[in-house]
Amino acid sequence: MVGNAKNIPYKDNSYDVAISVAVLHHFASEENRIKALQELVRIVKPGGKIFVCAWALEQDETCYKNRSFESSEVFVAWTLQNKFNKDNDKDKEVFQRYCYLFSEGELNHLVNKFCSGVTIEKTIYDSANWVLIMKKNEE
């Protein structure tokens, strides 16, 4: 079976819970972020929960490496761990990964505007991330 966050290969209303951590902020287009959110709603049973966590533009002292960003669209260095480096005697490989940083309320707006049939129960800012806990409405 092959799938991805924008095309989850499961039937509608299949699961009690869906979790998306460190996924949405790697999509470069709003269209793809919306599609991934809609897929989470689609696969969860009515009454089920959806948990989404994505990087926040608002960074604080809990942020790893005291990062601060001036734009919502950034590239962040990611270093390949030595245990995965096939050539251990060479310098660590560093890759630039795309991240979209959600501003306060932005993730809520996407859900409220584009994801019918779900209610946001709680919005949390935690460790430089925005977290949404949602419930799929009963039919």
Side-chain angles (χ1 to χ4, degrees):
M1 184 178 307
V2 177
N4 62 50
K6 300 176 297 171
N7 184 21
I8 301 172
Y10 301 118
K11 294 179 183 176
D12 296 358
N13 305 315
S14 295
Y15 296 95
D16 296 320
V17 177
I19 299 171
S20 174
V21 176
V23 175
L24 287 180
H25 57 256
H26 291 295
F27 288 116
S29 75
E30 181 178 75
E31 177 183 342
N32 286 336
R33 294 187 286 271
I34 291 166
K35 180 61 178 157
L37 287 166
Q38 290 171 335
E39 280 292 275
L40 293 170
V41 174
R42 182 186 66 76
I43 66 167
V44 170
K45 295 175 186 176
K49 300 281 185 158
I50 302 164
F51 177 94
V52 174
C53 180
W55 273 22
L57 178 61
E58 302 81 6
Q59 302 286 301
D60 63 14
E61 67 281 351
T62 65
C63 175
Y64 176 70
K65 294 186 179 179
N66 286 328
R67 290 184 173 135
S68 98
F69 302 103
E70 298 194 15
S71 170
S72 288
E73 295 190 276
V74 298
F75 285 90
V76 179
W78 179 79
T79 304
L80 182 65
Q81 296 175 15
N82 279 337
K83 66 182 177 181
F84 299 113
N85 191 341
K86 294 176 186 169
D87 186 8
N88 287 330
D89 59 313
K90 77 178 210 179
D91 292 336
K92 292 182 180 180
E93 290 187 73
V94 178
F95 301 92
Q96 295 296 318
R97 60 185 170 150
Y98 173 85
C99 291
Y100 181 85
L101 306 169
F102 289 89
S103 60
E104 183 175 4
E106 186 175 5
L107 199 48
N108 299 62
H109 171 75
L110 290 180
V111 169
N112 289 330
K113 185 170 182 179
F114 298 104
C115 298
S116 60
V118 68
T119 301
I120 298 171
E121 293 187 328
K122 191 179 277 189
T123 303
I124 303 164
Y125 176 85
D126 182 55
S127 301
N129 291 281
W130 285 111
V131 177
L132 295 185
I133 299 171
M134 300 173 274
K135 182 177 181 180
K136 187 167 180 178
N137 300 338
E138 301 286 343
E139 294 181 344

